[in-house]
């Protein structure tokens, strides 16, 4: 009987030690979560900022973040939103498939590229429905200091 109790206790001890070791392995300090060097409990206060009030007619293309990145919107867009299934104000200026690749006068909107269209059997271009919500990828920019340092280089 005594032997059995000792054996049960021994097995229990091994189990508890094993569990403790396992638990020790998964402990991650909050300042080691993620890529940032700061704690997830740090709560930096963003500076208050305004988006530029540039009208489309006065807009000039901004530098691309990296090759293939969606170009950033260089003009105000609040009067053009929301984009709905049957109403997309961006198309008025940027949906011009016949002008793709042609020279433009300064200040003319860049036509959406071929990647935003599907070629039909008759050779005509249909706008891709998967690109309908332009602001999913194209966002207006404000001159704001990074909240967390960023060393990304294209
Ligand atoms: C009244 C015409 C007009 C409307 C409406 C308009 N844009 Fe523009 N957009 C322009 C002009 C002009 C430019 C600056 C010239 C250029 O295309 O680079 C521009 C530039 C851009 C660019 C940068 C293109 C590049 O190559 O860098 C993007 C992206 C863009 N607009 C997206 C949008 C989105 C999204 C909407 C709708 C929310 C919209 N635009 C509505 C006229 C317009
Ligand atoms: C799923 C993401 C996505 C959506 C949605 C999207 N675009 Fe783009 N757009 C891109 C990317 C990425 C590029 C740059 C690469 C390329 O040319 O395909 C681009 C390029 C552009 C350009 C620059 C063309 C050039 O020749 O320099 C314009 C203008 C533009 N998009 C307008 C629009 C408009 C207007 C809409 C909405 C009808 C829209 N995009 C929806 C991702 C997107």
């Amino acid at each position: 009987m005594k032997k059995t109790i000792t054996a049960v206790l021994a097995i229990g001890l091994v189990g508890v030690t094993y569990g403790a070791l396992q638990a020790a392995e998964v402990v991650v300090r909050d300042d080691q979560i993620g890529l940032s060097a700061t704690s997830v409990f740090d709560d930096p206060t963003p500076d208050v900022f305004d988006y530029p009030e540039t009208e489309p007619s006065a807009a000039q293309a901004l530098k691309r973040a990296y090759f293939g990145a969606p170009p950033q919107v260089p003009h105000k867009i609040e009067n053009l939103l929301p984009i709905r299934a049957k109403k997309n104000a961006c198309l008025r200026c940027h949906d011009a498939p016949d002008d793709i690749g042609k020279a433009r006068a300064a200040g003319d909107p860049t036509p959406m590229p071929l990647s935003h269209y599907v070629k039909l059997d008759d050779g005509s271009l249909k706008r891709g429905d998967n690109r309908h919500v332009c602001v999913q990828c194209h966002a207006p920019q404000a001159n704001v200091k990074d909240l967390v340092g960023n060393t990304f280089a294209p």
Side-chain angles (χ1 to χ4, degrees):
M1 182 64 184
K2 206 169 169 199
K3 268 192 186 154
T4 317
I5 291 175
T6 315
V8 168
L9 282 177
I11 292 170
L13 190 65
V14 168
V16 167
T17 315
Y18 181 74
L21 285 174
Q22 291 297 303
E25 266 173 37
V26 293
V27 170
V28 178
R29 289 199 353 233
D30 60 60
D31 56 358
Q32 291 173 337
I33 300 172
L35 300 174
S36 154
T38 53
S39 160
V40 289
F41 296 110
D42 281 354
D43 189 12
T45 313
D47 289 339
V48 177
F49 68 89
D50 292 315
Y51 284 103
E53 286 290 305
T54 319
E55 296 288 344
S57 55
Q60 296 220 331
L62 299 166
K63 202 167 151 272
R64 303 262 165 124
Y66 52 88
F67 179 75
Q72 304 159 340
V73 183
H75 53 71
K76 62 194 255 185
I77 60 167
E78 59 260 42
N79 301 337
L80 308 168
L81 300 180
I83 292 171
R84 297 200 191 283
K86 296 207 163 122
K87 186 179 140 244
N88 184 339
C90 313
L91 300 177
R92 192 156 41 98
C93 297
H94 290 288
D95 184 21
D98 294 341
D99 297 341
I100 294 175
K102 291 198 183 142
R104 289 178 298 122
D108 281 355
T110 313
M112 293 191 295
L114 276 177
S115 59
H116 292 34
Y117 293 88
V118 182
K119 199 165 204 174
L120 301 184
D121 283 347
D122 65 4
S124 63
L125 293 175
K126 181 189 174 294
R127 211 166 44 77
D129 290 339
N130 54 348
R131 307 253 189 179
H132 184 70
V133 185
C134 319
V135 287
Q136 174 192 337
C137 303
H138 299 285
Q141 302 300 305
N143 199 6
V144 187
K145 211 168 83 223
D146 287 343
L147 267 183
V148 175
N150 182 356
T151 55
F152 173 76

